[in-house]
Every structure is written in structure tokens, then in C-alpha cells.
Amino acid sequence: MTDAAALPGQPRGAVAGPATARAVNVLAPNPSAMTLDGTNTWLVAEPGSELAVVIDPGPLDEGHLRAVVATAEAAGRRIGLTLLTHGHADHAEGAARFAELTGTTVRALDPALRLGDEGLGAGDVVTIGGLELRVVPTPGHTSDSLSFHLPADRAVLTGDTVLGRGTTMVAHPDGRLGEYLDSLRRLHSLTTDDGVSTVLPGHGPVLDDAQGALEFYLAHRSARLDQVRAAVEAGVTEPGEVVALVYAAVDRSLWPAAELSVRAQLEYLLGG
């Protein structure tokens, strides 16, 4: 058995439940190769406050959405706001129904995902019930990807930009590798400049070494890019063939997602 402390980011053993003084994960029942244990729906509130924020209600699963509401109520709280890290269905499909259940607005970067007049953008600070969340633009996985800095817990909620286990894909053509690398560097700067030590990801366990996780992600992306560059120099430029060459050791069920990342890498290298 591998010691979690030896793994990138120092992942915790448990996925669901309390993660920090302010954040609790209500795990959605949608595990898969792409979603790992399922989607992490984050319930975040200031200690002692009657109001909570939910980040990523998850899929359109009535049982899960009601479980999120019940978790808040069991803590003596009501949900006052819903936020989205990005628009992929496993994070956002349930948002409209969740808004009905809770009477909340839904704030997101993409206007098509919003319910209410307010969106989200770089530099925004969301405050509710004494809680403060700072919006960090992290495009790359998707063009609308956001992270949320929770300074009081020295934590950042990353959606799919950083996962609790493994690495994420760049969802070409909407996602772009150059933007993704910039986003990883932006998150890394939170660990060096703002004291962020914990990653609360959209899938998988909490990471207790945020800086180590970001450094691993950056190194991994650099290594993959070098492999794709070598393939191109050898004349292999068709995305499926690059996947078979570069991702040969990866489970074939993940090859379609790998191909999206490869297309983003090829675009980055070839300037397309």
C-alpha cells in the first residue's frame, strides 16, 4: 500500500464529509473513470452562520440534491447561494433543479448557466453570512472554468482544474492548453503568495499539499508536452495515433479524454 503522504498533493483517505472548518463534501452518486468517486458538491459556510453556499450541485439526481439540502439543514443552515466552477453536466446539470429546491440564484461565468442577474468574474469576492470566497479565473479545462479561494481555510476549490487523484483533461476545442498552464501557475501563486495549503477538488479526495499538487501538475503537463513534441518530430501528428503512442500505459477507457488533451497539445505546439 502506498502512503498517501508520498503521493502528489498528499491526498486524504476519505472523500466525502467535512474537509475544513468551513467546507463539507456531499459526494454525488455518479462514480466513473472520468468522475472518480463521483462529483464533489461543496457546502461552504462560516462557523456559526445560518447561511451556506453550495458549489457545484452536480448531476440532475433528485436524491443527491435533496441530500445536499438535508446536510445543510442538519447543521442548522439554509442555502443562500449556488455557484458553479464550470458548465460540464456532472457539475452543473442539477443546478436549475437545485435552485428550485433552495430558492437560490445560480452564479457562473457563462451567462447561459446563470439563474439571476449576477455572474462571476475575475476579482469578484462572494460574501454571504460572513463567508468570503474570492473568484479565481482558471480557464483551460474549459473556457468557463473558475476556482474559488477560501482564504479563511487557506484552501482553494478547483472544480476540474485540479483533481484529488490523477490529472485532468483539457477539453479541446473549448479548453486550451496555454490557458490551462497559465491557470496552474495562477493557482501555484496562491500557494506561495497567499498561503493556500489545501485543494478542495471537484473529484477525488482533498489534497493537503496544494503546492506539491500544483508542481506535480505543471511537471506532468511539461512531460506530456515533450512526449507529444517528440511524436510530432517523428512524423506522428494524427491525434489518435499520438494517443496510442503517448498514452499507451493509460487505461483505454480514458483514451477519448486523452485525445481531447492531445488535440489541445497539438494546437499549442503547431500554433493552430
Side-chain angles (χ1 to χ4, degrees):
M1 182 179 294
T2 302
D3 184 355
L7 297 173
Q10 297 181 18
R12 296 184 191 175
V15 175
T20 67
R22 292 163 180 79
V24 175
N25 177 21
V26 185
L27 183 64
N30 61 333
S32 72
M34 291 295 294
T35 62
L36 305 181
D37 309 88
T39 300
N40 295 338
T41 293
W42 289 103
L43 182 68
V44 189
E46 191 67 16
S49 174
E50 296 180 356
L51 291 173
V53 175
V54 164
I55 299 172
D56 290 351
L60 184 54
D61 182 291
E62 188 76 9
H64 171 63
L65 300 178
R66 290 186 179 274
V68 177
V69 175
T71 300
E73 291 177 344
R77 297 188 171 110
R78 66 179 178 85
I79 296 162
L81 180 63
T82 302
L83 305 176
L84 298 177
T85 62
H86 65 297
H88 280 167
D90 57 313
H91 293 258
E93 186 184 32
R97 174 58 180 152
F98 191 70
E100 291 179 354
L101 290 172
T102 60
T104 60
T105 59
V106 177
R107 296 181 64 182
L109 178 62
D110 185 349
L113 299 171
R114 301 172 190 167
L115 292 173
D117 296 330
E118 287 190 280
L120 291 170
D124 286 352
V125 178
V126 177
T127 57
I128 182 169
L131 181 75
E132 178 184 295
L133 289 166
R134 301 175 184 173
V135 179
V136 182
T138 47
H141 170 68
T142 61
S143 62
D144 68 330
S145 288
L146 298 172
S147 296
F148 298 99
H149 177 199
L150 178 56
D153 283 347
R154 300 175 61 202
V156 62
L157 298 105
T158 56
D160 281 357
T161 299
V162 176
L163 304 180
R165 187 167 62 249
T167 56
T168 196
M169 68 172 179
V170 178
H172 181 84
D174 181 51
R176 300 177 68 88
L177 182 59
E179 291 181 343
Y180 185 64
L181 293 173
D182 287 343
S183 293
L184 292 179
R185 296 183 190 106
R186 188 173 299 118
L187 290 173
H188 187 269
S189 73
L190 291 180
T191 72
T192 57
D193 300 340
D194 295 274
V196 165
S197 59
T198 303
V199 172
L200 306 178
H203 302 279
V206 171
L207 300 175
D208 285 319
D209 177 15
Q211 186 172 112
L214 268 302
E215 289 172 354
F216 168 76
Y217 262 63
L218 285 163
H220 172 80
R221 281 295 164 194
S222 178
R224 282 291 191 218
L225 198 57
D226 285 345
Q227 290 174 312
V228 173
R229 184 182 291 109
V232 170
E233 290 173 352
V236 181
T237 58
E238 195 280 319
E241 294 178 355
V242 175
V243 170
L245 180 65
V246 173
Y247 291 82
V250 174
D251 189 323
R252 282 180 176 250
S253 68
L254 298 175
W255 278 19
E259 183 169 329
L260 294 180
S261 286
V262 163
R263 288 181 181 276
Q265 290 164 328
L266 290 171
E267 179 183 69
Y268 181 82
L269 289 172
L270 301 175

